[in-house]
C-alpha cells in the first residue's frame, strides 16, 4: 500500500478520537511537520477514515470505529518556513488533488491516496499541510488524534486552505487533524513501524522538540530506513488484536516494533493472561500477511508506569514472560523496562529523572535519548535478515 513512498515524518498521526457535532461545519487545519529529508520532494498523502485506538473508556471513540461522511474542500502542501506561526512562505503552496479533483467526498471507513505533488523544502524548513474539511451532517465525522500536541498546529473557521498569511488561524490545543500517512518518493532499506501507545507517540515531551525515542531512533537510523510512528494515546493491545485499521497499518512494515501494555494494565484492567494473549494474537496476525512475507517482530517489555497492587503484579508477570518465553513469532525482545526502571525491588517504578513531571510517569526527552541510544546500539548488533 505504501508503494514507493517512505514516511516523511516521525510524528504519529494515529487516531484515537472522533469529531462529534450537533451540526455540520467547515473548518481549516494547518500543521507544521519537520521532514526527515529536504530538497525537491514528491509527496503523496494517504488516509484512513477510521479510529485506530480506544480513548479513555471508549464512550466516544473505540478502536476500529469507522469515521463518518465528510468532504475535503481543498488541501495544500507548502513550505512552512521556520516560524511555525500560522503562515507559510508566500508563493510555495501547491494544491493537492484526489483523482485529479481539488476536493473529495470521504465515505465511512474509506481509505484513499492523494495524487502526487512536487514541493521543494529548503534545509531546516517545515512542511506545512493544510486542508479544509466540511462535515456534512450532525453526529460523528472525522477521526483525529487528541492529546497535548507534539507539533505546532492551527485551525480557522471557513475554507482558508489557500490562505498563506494565516492571519485568521488560531493555535490548536489538543486536536491533530492530519492524513494517516505522509509519504515521499524514496527507496529505503527497510520500513520500520512502531506500534504503541502515548509513550511511543511521545506524549508529554516538548512541542516541536522531536525528543521522544521514536524520533531519536529515526535520526540515528538515517532516512535509509522509513519510520512510521503509530503510537496512539491511551491505546491498548486489544485495540490492535481486533485486527482492524490500526493493525492493518502496522502490517505494512518490514520491521514492526510493538510497545504496548501500559493501558491494558491500567485503564483496561486486563489480567496478565489477557494481555499476553492479545500480544500473541497481534504477532500471529502480523506474520500472516496476504503477500506471504513475514515482518520481523520486535517486542518491547512494558515500560514502568509506577503501578501498585494488582496492577504491579500484572506488570511483573507480563514482563517476566516477555523476557523468558515471548509469544511465538517474536524475533527479538528489547527490554525498555530495564532501561527506565528504578533499581530492584522498585523496578516497577520509573526513575524520577525520566518522568515528564513529578506526578506523571510518561517518559521525558531525557528518557527518549537514553532509550534511543540503547535501542540503536542493540538494533545495529542484531542480524537484519
Amino acid at each position: 500500500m505504501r508503494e514507493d513512498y517512505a514516511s516523511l515524518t516521525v510524528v504519529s498521526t494515529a487516531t484515537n478520537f472522533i469529531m462529534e457535532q450537533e451540526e455540520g461545519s467547515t473548518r481549516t487545519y494547518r500543521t507544521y511537520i519537520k521532514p526527515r529529508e529536504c530538497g525537491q520532494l514528491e509527496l503523496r498523502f494517504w488516509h484512513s477514515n477510521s479510529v485506530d485506538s480506544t480513548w479513555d473508556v471508549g464512550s466516544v471513540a473505540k478502536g476500529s470505529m469507522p469515521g463518518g461522511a465528510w468532504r475535503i474542500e481543498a488541501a495544500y502542501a507548502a513550505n512552512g518556513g521556520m516560524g511555525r506561526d500560522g503562515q507559510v512562505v508566500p508563493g510555495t503552496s501547491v494544491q493537492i488533488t484526489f483523482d485529479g479533483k481539488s476536493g473529495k467526498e470521504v465515505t465511512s471507513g474509506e481509505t484513499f491516496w492523494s495524487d502526487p505533488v512536487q514541493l521543494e523544502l529548503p534545509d531546516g524548513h517545515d512542511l506545512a499541510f493544510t486542508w479544509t474539511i466540511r462535515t456534512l451532517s450532525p453526529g460523528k465525522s472525522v477521526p483525529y488524534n487528541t492529546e497535548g500536541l507534539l507539533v505546532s498546529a492551527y485551525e480557522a473557521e471557513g475554507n482558508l486552505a489557500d490562505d498563506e498569511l494565516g492571519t485568521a488561524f488560531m493555535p490548536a490545543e489538543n486536536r491533530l487533524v492530519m492524513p494517516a500517512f505522509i509519504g515521499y518518493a524514496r527507496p529505503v532499506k527497510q520500513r520500520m513501524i512502531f506500534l504503541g501507545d502515548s509513550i511511543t507517540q511521545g506524549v508529554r515531551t516538548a512541542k516541536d522538540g522531536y525528543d521522544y525515542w521514536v524520533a531519536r531512533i529515526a535520526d540515528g537510523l538515517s532516512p535509509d530506513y522509513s519510520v512510521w510512528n503509530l503510537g496512539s494515546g491511551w491505546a491498548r493491545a486489544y485495540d490492535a488484536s481486533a485486527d482492524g485499521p490500526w493493525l492493518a497499518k502496522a502490517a505494512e512494515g518490514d520491521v514492526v516494533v510493538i510497545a504496548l501494555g501500559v493501558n491494558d494494565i491500567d485503564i483496561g484492567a486486563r489480567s496478565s493472561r489477557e494481555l499476553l494473549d492479545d500480544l500473541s494474537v497481534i504477532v500471529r496476525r502480523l506474520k500472516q500477511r496476504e503477500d506471504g512475507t513475514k515482518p520481523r517482530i520486535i517486542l518491547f517489555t512494558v515500560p514502568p508506569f509506577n503501578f501498585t497492587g494488582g496492577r504491579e503484579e500484572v506488570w511483573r508477570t507480563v514482563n517476566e514472560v516477555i523476557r523468558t518465553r515471548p509469544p511465538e513469532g517474536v524475533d527479538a525482545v528489547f527490554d525498555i523496562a530495564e532501561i527506565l526502571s528504578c533499581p530492584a525491588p522498585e523496578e516497577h517504578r520509573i526513575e524520577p529523572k525520566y518522568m515528564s513531571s513529578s506526578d506523571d510517569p510518561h517518559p521525558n526527552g531525557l528518557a527518549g535519548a537514553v532509550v534511543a541510544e540503547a535501542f540503536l546500539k542493540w538494533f545495529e548488533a542484531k542480524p537484519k535478515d
Side-chain angles (χ1 to χ4, degrees):
M1 182 167 57
R2 302 284 73 76
E3 300 177 350
D4 298 322
Y5 291 83
S7 176
L8 185 67
T9 177
V10 296
V11 176
S12 174
T13 54
T15 56
N16 58 11
F17 213 67
I18 192 166
M19 293 183 194
E20 187 169 12
Q21 301 165 307
E22 295 183 357
E23 57 184 17
S25 66
T26 300
R27 195 166 182 85
T28 301
Y29 304 89
R30 174 167 290 166
T31 307
Y32 295 86
I33 297 290
K34 183 176 78 171
R36 294 197 67 205
E37 289 193 279
C38 293
Q40 186 66 41
L41 304 174
E42 179 183 300
L43 305 175
R44 287 189 80 185
F45 303 85
W46 178 84
H47 196 59
S48 170
N49 186 24
S50 297
V51 176
D52 289 318
S53 64
T54 302
W55 176 259
D56 197 1
V57 296
S59 59
V60 176
K62 293 183 178 180
S64 302
M65 173 187 289
W70 44 280
R71 175 177 171 79
I72 301 171
E73 295 289 343
Y76 287 84
N79 176 358
M82 303 172 69
R84 298 167 178 157
D85 55 3
Q87 60 183 321
V88 303
V89 175
T92 65
S93 294
V94 179
Q95 186 161 33
I96 300 166
T97 58
F98 306 87
D99 293 328
K101 299 177 181 178
S102 60
K104 175 173 174 56
E105 303 288 343
V106 181
T107 60
S108 179
E110 181 182 4
T111 62
F112 59 91
W113 278 101
S114 76
D115 301 323
V117 297
Q118 303 290 327
L119 181 69
E120 184 171 1
L121 286 179
D123 287 344
H125 287 219
D126 289 329
L127 167 69
F129 176 83
T130 310
W131 58 353
T132 298
I133 291 174
R134 180 163 64 92
T135 56
L136 307 176
S137 59
K140 294 181 177 179
S141 56
V142 185
Y144 65 95
N145 188 277
T146 185
E147 268 291 1
L149 292 181
L150 290 170
V151 292
S152 294
Y154 293 81
E155 300 181 8
E157 295 291 342
N159 187 345
L160 298 177
D162 61 352
D163 181 355
E164 295 186 326
L165 295 179
T167 53
F169 284 81
M170 298 296 293
E173 294 184 3
N174 61 353
R175 184 161 60 183
L176 184 67
V177 185
M178 287 286 287
F181 178 81
I182 301 172
Y184 71 120
R186 191 197 201 283
V188 293
K189 291 180 179 178
Q190 286 185 323
R191 298 178 183 276
M192 296 186 66
I193 291 177
F194 291 80
L195 180 69
D197 52 33
S198 59
I199 296 173
T200 302
Q201 183 179 356
V203 167
R204 305 291 187 270
T205 59
K207 180 187 286 188
D208 300 315
Y210 294 86
D211 55 2
Y212 40 96
W213 53 264
V214 174
R216 291 178 181 271
I217 287 171
D219 286 343
L221 288 173
S222 87
D224 287 333
Y225 292 82
S226 175
V227 174
W228 191 8
N229 187 349
L230 294 181
S232 186
W234 254 345
R236 47 217 83 169
Y238 62 75
D239 288 325
S241 68
D243 202 12
W246 196 33
L247 191 65
K249 295 177 184 179
E252 299 279 329
D254 303 310
V255 178
V256 183
V257 178
I258 303 170
L260 289 164
V262 165
N263 295 305
D264 297 83
I265 296 171
D266 193 8
I267 195 167
R270 305 289 268 185
S271 68
S272 58
R273 176 46 52 199
E274 287 173 324
L275 174 51
L276 289 164
D277 284 348
D278 286 330
L279 292 172
S280 296
V281 170
I282 293 169
V283 174
R284 183 169 66 251
R285 287 177 171 163
L286 288 172
K287 290 287 189 177
Q288 296 173 341
R289 292 199 301 207
E290 293 182 0
D291 63 4
T293 62
K294 297 182 184 296
R296 184 181 178 205
I297 305 295
I298 298 172
L299 180 61
F300 276 33
T301 52
V302 183
F305 212 68
N306 296 353
F307 292 128
T308 59
R311 286 182 170 87
E312 178 190 338
E313 290 306 311
V314 172
W315 179 88
R316 288 181 179 276
T317 299
V318 170
N319 277 349
E320 176 63 20
V321 172
I322 289 175
R323 290 177 178 123
T324 60
R325 49 189 190 282
E328 183 179 356
V330 170
D331 297 289
V333 170
F334 180 74
D335 200 344
I336 188 175
E338 182 181 45
I339 297 168
L340 298 179
S341 289
C342 292
E346 296 293 310
E347 61 265 41
H348 60 290
R349 303 187 63 82
I350 183 172
E351 284 204 49
K353 65 182 178 181
Y354 295 142
M355 292 174 61
S356 59
S357 70
S358 60
D359 59 356
D360 189 340
H362 280 88
N364 57 20
L366 174 61
V370 172
V371 170
E373 180 181 10
F375 180 88
L376 288 166
K377 185 180 297 184
W378 174 88
F379 183 75
E380 290 301 322
K382 293 284 183 182
K384 299 301 183 290
D385 296 325

